[in-house]
Amino acid sequence: MKNLIEKIKKLKEEKNAVILAHSYQNIEIDEVADFVGDSLYLSQMAKTTNADIIVFAGVYFMAQTAKIISPEKKVLLPNANAGCLMADMINHEQMINFKKNHPNVPVVCYINSTAEVKAECDICCTSSNALKIVKSLNNSKVLFLPDANLGKWVESKLDGVEVITYDGNCPVHNNIEIRDIELARKNYPDAKILIHPECKPEVSRLGDYVGSTSGIMEYVRKSKDKQFVIVTEKGVADRLERDYPDKKFILIKSNMLCESMKLTTLEEILYSLEHEVNEITLDENVRKRSTGCIERMLKASK
């Protein structure tokens, strides 16, 4: 693996390439990544990098987002099959119908959506800024898609704001039930329970902290506690175990795996860089219409 890592690093330098990796990726990807984090952070890095090539170790909608905000750069997705089940739950036609059923209501789309869907929305959000974004609209009613769980969690934090949600979810997070949290409390009474807001609202209410992947990691960094139950994708627990060997991390369930996120390998990253394959391309009209949605999010997140 060492030889593979060295080849990738050398090729990055030769081609002025940058590798962005999501925190759900296999942990060895961090060895070659320039930036590792959640969707908001990686979007910000894609916007500001001076690289000619962006290799996105993530899933399709993330690479699309990078292309939307950095159209002059070549964006590569090492594994073309790396998709998102949540993003696939709403297409362009379903998006149009959702808006038609609720006319004249501002639309917030979770970043876990395609460029075609983003093109029909007013503003984008990630799990780390969803509350701030919805609040910034200063409207008593907001459409939110495709993650119903995140939308309803946001609603629970805002008085007088109705968040009308599309019926989508992340199957990994949606799989967590109240009984899973109750069992964790019983088995690990001294542990703090850290929950991602893609979980069901009734589950999120039981957490000591609810937040994005970066939020969970920051909570651990600042906390004096020594035990944590991690209620999100396994990649987060893996990185916390690596970074904080003096603390104990318990993954809420062994099957907290986003299979698409785990598809990307170091071999595929090397191949994509060598041959510049699996390039992300977008219809220019769609790209332009979706740009405002993301730019407004980035501006509101400053």
Side-chain angles (χ1 to χ4, degrees), residues 10 23 51 62 73 81 107 170 204 234 245-246 267 284 300:
K10 184 182 178 185
S23 299
M62 296 177 180
K73 298 178 176 66
N81 295 317
V107 186
C170 165
S204 293
K234 183 177 180 293
D246 60 324
E267 289 82 2
E284 186 59 13

Side-chain angles (χ1 to χ4, degrees), residues 164-181:
I164 303 167
T165 56
Y166 183 83
D167 189 21
N169 64 75
C170 165
V172 175
H173 291 99
N174 200 55
N175 187 41
I176 302 300
E177 303 292 347
I178 290 175
R179 63 178 177 271
D180 298 314
I181 307 301

Side-chain angles (χ1 to χ4, degrees), residues 126-145:
T126 70
S127 55
S128 60
N129 65 11
L131 182 58
K132 184 177 183 180
I133 294 297
V134 172
K135 195 173 182 179
S136 73
L137 295 173
N138 196 28
N139 208 72
S140 61
K141 193 176 289 188
V142 172
L143 299 186
F144 193 98
L145 60 110

Side-chain angles (χ1 to χ4, degrees), residues 253-264:
K253 279 184 175 181
S254 60
N255 65 346
M256 296 295 286
L257 288 168
C258 175
E259 293 181 3
S260 287
M261 280 286 192
K262 304 304 187 196
L263 289 175
T264 305

Side-chain angles (χ1 to χ4, degrees), residues 214-225:
S214 61
I216 288 172
M217 289 175 164
E218 183 67 5
Y219 182 96
V220 170
R221 186 184 72 80
K222 291 180 176 178
S223 177
K224 294 180 180 178
D225 292 287

